[in-house]
Amino acid sequence: MEREGRAVGAASGELVTIGEFARLSRLSAKALRRYDELGLLRPALVDPVNGYRYYDPAQVEGARLVAWLRRIGMPLSRIGRIVALDAGAAAVEIWAYWARVEAETAARRDLAMYLVDYLSAEGRAMSRIPGNTGSTSNTGSTSNAGGTGNAGGTGGTGSSGGAEGMGSRGGRGSSGSGVPGGPGVLGGRVAVPLAIRCAALTDTGAVRTTNQDAAFAGPRLLAVADGFGEGGAEASAAAIEALKPTAWGGGDGALSAADLLNALEDTADSASRAVRDAVAPCADPDGSGTTLTAMLWTGSRLGLVHIGDSRAYLLRGGELFRITHDHSLVQSMIDDGSLSREEAASHPGRALLLKALVGEARPAPVAVACRPDVRLQEVLAGDRYLLCSDGLSAVVDEAELRAAVIAAEAPEEAVRRLVGLAHEAGGPDNVACVVADVVVAAEE
């Protein structure tokens, strides 16, 4: 047997030692041994006597692919799946992975901008207090008009004592889009207490035989969820149930902005666990899950939890703004300019989600990547919010949505109009929608 450091012959051609292959692939011998142990890059030959590893030079391209994927931060477990695919399928997987990374980066950027604004505002407030030497606390009155919400399918309504208003500083929208009340917009407290009037409705649609969508409109929670897979109905119901006030601790007491962000993170994690538990009995838990778009109200703040391609819109000043960002493959392609919005409507991958609440426990990097976005949303009297599944937004364009939301006198009428529009468009999917009006509490 030849010693390590010399090439050996083989029927398929000349093999090279691990040292030579490390030079060709620009990977260290230590990395090559690690990739061998993980099954990512097996040597062409292992000497049964001394254990020396030999590689075929044709393996260089595969080795470089592993190295490149590591450079973009891809976990080894996912690399293992990609290297087993053909080139076209591997390209789609890499695209989907990077789109998810960019979505997570955008969410962290939004949170960072919020923290900058929040701490800057706190610093200015503290500097105005004569002789201030410590931190201050915020207090605020609330108005709770009671009432109950109705879950999806009933078309019922729920009224609530809402949050205190937050005055606009004319801040940023999400990702610089100019959307009112986006990340970083905190504003000062308004003395006039606000409340919400709301309604929820779900519908099976004209094609499906079962309804996996869920909707809820109540005193502290507005939510829609679009389930998929064998356990989709259970997943959507479990996600919303986990966010109800009794689950996340919502009460009449006002939460500070920092406390609400923590509460949103906790409830997002609770929803993830609830979905995993709900679909665990399924034959393929990993193939079942749900989207989730929800707004949580406290005595003084409004928080948004979002994952997937269900949406939240804000009608303000006669303009309809989308305040969520789809976690989908086609949205990522629209974002990078490789696909137009018109092309996205007929793209074969338009149903592919980059993020959703799904079954089975995930390793830490994947679990973090699948965490919902959370942020605070500015509230003004006169706002009207629309939350909906893609059974509505995918078949009815935003101009029609705007017209229907404006024309309806009350939330109950609005949700009926919207479901009707989905049916007129063919009703190919389940539909879930919630409409909520922000009003002065005295009017409520």
Side-chain angles (χ1 to χ4, degrees):
M1 179 62 64
E2 295 181 317
R3 298 179 60 84
E4 185 172 26
R6 299 175 57 192
V8 296
S12 61
E14 198 75 9
L15 302 184
V16 297
T17 65
I18 189 172
E20 177 63 14
F21 190 74
R23 186 188 67 78
L24 293 173
S25 63
R26 298 187 179 182
L27 291 169
S28 69
K30 180 180 179 180
L32 290 172
R33 286 190 286 270
R34 176 63 172 160
Y35 296 162
D36 179 14
E37 293 168 0
L38 295 173
L40 296 177
L41 186 67
R42 298 290 192 187
L45 175 68
V46 177
D47 192 307
V49 177
N50 55 32
Y52 289 161
R53 296 173 172 87
Y54 297 93
Y55 293 83
D56 189 323
Q59 293 178 279
V60 167
E61 185 175 353
R64 288 176 177 170
L65 175 60
V66 173
W68 290 331
L69 293 176
R70 288 296 292 156
R71 288 181 65 183
I72 66 173
M74 184 177 289
L76 289 171
S77 59
R78 187 158 187 166
I79 292 175
R81 295 196 298 271
I82 287 179
V83 296
L85 301 173
D86 61 55
V92 171
E93 283 292 314
I94 294 170
W95 187 306
Y97 167 78
W98 191 248
R100 177 176 291 176
V101 170
E102 289 186 327
E104 286 300 314
T105 301
R108 290 195 294 270
R109 180 194 62 229
D110 288 346
L111 179 57
M113 292 301 97
Y114 156 74
L115 292 173
V116 169
D117 282 356
Y118 172 69
L119 294 174
S120 297
E122 287 289 298
R124 288 193 295 271
M126 291 171 65
S127 68
R128 290 194 293 268
I129 301 175
N132 175 60
T133 57
S135 63
T136 63
S137 60
N138 289 325
T139 61
S141 61
T142 65
S143 173
N144 188 6
T148 59
N150 287 299
T154 65
T157 64
S159 62
S160 77
E164 279 190 37
M166 291 161 51
S168 171
R169 289 185 349 199
R172 294 176 299 278
S174 177
S175 304
S177 62
V179 177
V185 179
L186 291 181
R189 300 283 182 85
V190 175
V192 178
L194 301 176
I196 59 170
R197 294 172 179 158
C198 52
L201 181 61
T202 69
D203 188 85
T204 304
V207 176
R208 302 292 178 88
T209 57
T210 59
N211 192 353
Q212 294 186 314
D213 283 9
F216 184 89
R220 297 291 182 183
L221 174 67
L222 310 170
V224 296
D226 181 357
F228 56 85
E230 177 189 353
E234 293 79 6
S236 60
I240 290 181
E241 191 67 29
L243 266 63
K244 288 184 179 179
T246 53
W248 65 274
D252 293 338
L255 290 178
S256 69
D259 288 340
L260 179 54
L261 278 177
N262 289 337
L264 291 174
E265 292 281 1
D266 291 343
T267 52
D269 290 341
S270 296
S272 298
R273 290 192 298 269
V275 170
R276 289 198 298 270
D277 292 343
V279 303
C282 297
D284 180 20
D286 199 38
S288 295
T290 185
T291 69
L292 178 66
T293 300
M295 290 184 164
L296 287 73
W297 298 75
T298 74
S300 62
R301 303 282 181 181
L302 169 64
L304 177 68
V305 177
H306 170 69
I307 187 168
D309 62 355
S310 294
R311 293 180 176 179
Y313 294 89
L314 165 63
L315 180 69
R316 177 180 292 173
E319 295 296 324
L320 188 69
F321 303 92
R322 174 149 60 104
I323 59 175
T324 54
H325 196 73
D326 292 350
H327 299 134
S328 64
L329 177 63
V330 295
Q331 182 64 60
S332 71
M333 297 172 72
I334 292 171
D335 293 342
D336 68 17
S338 61
L339 195 69
S340 70
R341 293 188 182 277
E342 292 72 23
E343 293 169 333
S346 59
H347 192 277
R350 62 186 179 278
L352 180 60
L353 295 176
L354 301 180
K355 292 175 64 176
L357 301 179
V358 295
E360 291 195 353
R362 302 293 185 103
V366 179
V368 171
C370 291
R371 179 172 292 167
D373 297 342
V374 299
R375 74 159 198 248
L376 301 187
Q377 176 68 28
E378 176 198 15
V379 180
L380 295 177
D383 286 347
R384 172 169 281 185
Y385 288 93
L386 164 64
L387 282 62
C388 65
S389 64
D390 70 339
L392 177 64
S393 61
V395 297
V396 180
D397 65 37
E398 291 191 4
E400 290 183 280
L401 290 179
R402 174 181 174 274
V405 172
I406 289 177
E409 184 67 25
E412 297 89 341
E413 180 187 352
V415 294
R416 288 193 296 268
R417 283 176 177 264
L418 293 166
V419 170
L421 286 176
H423 272 275
E424 290 172 10
D429 199 357
N430 304 152
V431 184
C433 58
V434 170
V435 172
D437 289 344
V438 180
V439 299
V440 176
E443 299 175 358
E444 181 64 24

